[in-house]
Every structure is written in structure tokens, then in C-alpha cells.
Amino acid sequence: SSSGRIMKDRDPTNDLNSSNVSRLGSQYDYPTVFGVNSGYSIYKNTQDASAGWAKVPGGLKYASAGADWVWGTNTHDNIYRCKQPCSGSWHQVEGKLMQLDVGENEVWGVNSAHNIYKRPVDGSGNWQQVPGGLTHVSVGSHFVWGVNVHNSIYRCALPCSGGWVHVAGGLREIDVGETEVWGVNSHDDIYVRPADGSGNWKHIGGKLRHVSVGREAIWGVNSAHNIYRCNLPCTGGWINVPGALMEVDVAHDVPIGLSVSPPPSPSPPPPSPSPPPPSPSPPPPSPSPPPPSPSPP
């Protein structure tokens, strides 16, 4: 079914800096910046912001955008997808997910029971359960990574059917790109390693609560909801980005985030002059595998 108005909308004017922003690749000339503000209203813009913000009917708490599709979940964990360029023709997808991630060919997600599901990114077929239990999942170009309720880390090579390999360390949130996987632990320390799991976790200076991998930059937000960007290869040269976001997610090197509150005016917040201090300790290992979860979404 199609839902043009998923939740009650609010209409903040010029709510540019408090948006859940998703930009795709520069090869797209239609509006490819999507935003969800603290009222769950959705906005879109062109990448150079020349078109101005246009409201997209509906309401989402989490959005993930790809080249051809935007997916999202609302506060009831209902799932929606919209064909690019999305103008509000949201189609509800059966099932419930608390978090999802759009990849090149598949969308992956986890529900409130930590069950893992995937399906083709165009919404065809059905949800296929993948054995295991995760609280956060991310699908990259060649691997799927995730963390469970104990902050244990797992990876699975695509096409993944549940052959999870435990990776030493403990992370609360994780995001995988084409060549690297980034994550943050319970102390907001930042770590990176190759996406295939080789090598070791490398600590990156700074403190972030949420991190996301783009094609050309790493994006993240800290506990104060300040937004930072670091050009690849990133070694900790964090640049403050105006605005305040609770989370951020990058697709094709562009951010998607969920705002905490709209700013009182379009003016950006003051920059943070220095990056947060590094923490040298590596994440602790967690050996237990994720438990299988048989129930459907």
C-alpha cells in the first residue's frame, strides 16, 4: 500500500541544519538530499541546495538512501520505500524493523527482537531471515558487518546467508563501506580496519557516538550532537559541520541523519575549535556468537 502521510507532520521553516540529510552521488541531477527533522518530517533538496528545501509527504524516524531507492522506518517500526527521485510516493513494506541499511543490491535490517532480515533493494521478493541476532547491521560493497546486544562484532561475506565470523573487539555501532569498516565503542572511541576483516583495529583520535563511511569522507556525530566530517584517508582530522544531528549515515559520500531539535534560526551552531581527545585503549574482545532468532518480522 502507498502512504502519502505516514505520521503527523510538522512544518519547520528553513530547518536546514537539523535535518536527517541523505545525499547521493553527483551524477544525479534530481533532488537527492533527503532530510528528517525532529518532528519526523521529510525534506529533500538538490546537492548544491539551489532548489531549496521541498517537503516530502510522510514521516520517518530513520532513513537510508541508495541510488535508486530510499528506505525508512517510522516510530512504529513500520517500513517504507520510495523510488528515486522520491516525491512522497511511499509504499509500505510488510514487516517491522527498528534499523535498516540500503546497499547496492539489498536492504538489510534488524527488528526489535534483534532478528536479521534482507531482501532485494527494489522491494521485490520477500524478507529472508538470516541466522543470528544483531542490534545494528550495515551492508557494504562486499561484506555485511554488525554488532549484537553485547557489543560483539561480526562480519559475513556477501552473499551472506548467516556465516558470521566473530571479530575481536567490542563496538556499539558500526558502518561498512567499500574498503573500510568503522565503528565506535561504548566510550565513544573510534576504530577502523579493512572491510574484509584483515589487519587490526586502528584507533582514530576523537570521540563520536555514531559514525558512517562514505566514498570520500567519514561522517559522525558526538554525544553533544555536533557533526564532524573527515576526508579519506581519515587519520583524525575532524572538521566541524554546522548543525546538530542525533545520528548520521552516508550513502555515496553524503549524509543522512536524524535531528535532535530544530535550530532557532537557519544560522549554524558555533564551530568546535579542536577535536575531542583520543583514547588509546582498543575495544575489549567479546567471544560469544550471536544467538539465532527464528521468528519472522
Side-chain angles (χ1 to χ4, degrees):
S1 64
S2 176
S3 175
R5 187 181 178 91
I6 304 168
M7 295 182 60
K8 184 178 179 181
D9 294 329
R10 61 188 297 274
D11 190 15
T13 303
N14 293 327
D15 197 3
L16 173 63
N17 294 320
S18 67
S19 58
N20 173 12
V21 180
S22 165
R23 293 174 54 194
L24 305 178
S26 58
Q27 66 268 38
Y28 302 100
D29 56 1
Y30 52 77
T32 54
V33 181
F34 277 75
V36 176
N37 65 15
S38 59
Y40 309 118
S41 294
I42 309 162
Y43 290 85
K44 67 177 181 179
N45 203 333
T46 52
Q47 292 185 55
D48 59 4
S50 61
W53 288 102
K55 189 174 184 180
V56 179
L60 296 172
K61 69 169 182 179
Y62 193 96
S64 181
D68 300 312
W69 297 92
V70 180
W71 285 71
T73 62
N74 67 9
T75 57
H76 303 291
D77 287 354
N78 296 325
I79 310 162
Y80 296 88
R81 63 179 170 86
C82 183
K83 177 69 174 172
Q84 289 278 35
C86 177
S87 297
S89 297
W90 296 103
H91 294 266
Q92 185 169 0
V93 180
E94 78 281 0
K96 287 183 180 288
L97 293 173
M98 67 176 185
Q99 183 261 331
L100 51 72
D101 195 55
V102 175
E104 295 175 14
N105 301 306
E106 294 177 325
V107 56
W108 284 64
V110 293
N111 65 11
S112 59
H114 306 161
N115 299 321
I116 311 163
Y117 294 90
K118 66 177 180 178
R119 76 184 300 162
V121 72
D122 62 0
S124 61
N126 299 293
W127 289 111
Q128 177 184 349
Q129 185 169 0
V130 178
L134 297 173
T135 55
H136 190 98
V137 67
S138 178
V139 54
S141 300
H142 308 289
F143 292 88
V144 180
W145 285 70
V147 296
N148 68 8
V149 68
H150 303 294
N151 290 348
S152 299
I153 310 164
Y154 297 89
R155 64 176 168 83
C156 183
L158 289 171
C160 172
S161 298
W164 298 103
V165 177
H166 178 256
V167 179
L171 296 173
R172 185 186 63 241
E173 185 264 345
I174 201 164
D175 197 67
V176 59
E178 186 174 356
T179 61
E180 292 180 332
V181 57
W182 286 66
V184 294
N185 66 12
S186 58
H187 301 290
D188 294 352
D189 299 321
I190 311 161
Y191 293 90
V192 60
R193 76 186 301 162
D196 62 2
S198 62
N200 298 294
W201 289 110
K202 177 184 177 182
H203 179 258
I204 301 296
K207 292 278 188 177
L208 292 175
R209 186 175 181 83
H210 184 92
V211 68
S212 186
V213 185
R215 291 187 183 274
E216 298 177 7
I218 306 299
W219 285 71
V221 295
N222 65 11
S223 59
H225 304 145
N226 298 317
I227 309 165
Y228 291 91
R229 184 181 189 274
C230 183
N231 292 323
L232 287 170
C234 173
T235 57
W238 299 104
I239 302 167
N240 179 248
V241 179
L245 294 175
M246 191 163 61
E247 62 177 324
V248 67
D249 186 60
V250 186
H252 297 284
D253 190 37
V254 277
I256 301 167
L258 179 64
S259 71
V260 181
S261 60
S265 70
S267 60
S272 190
S274 60
S279 180
S281 60
S286 301
S288 60
S293 303
S295 60

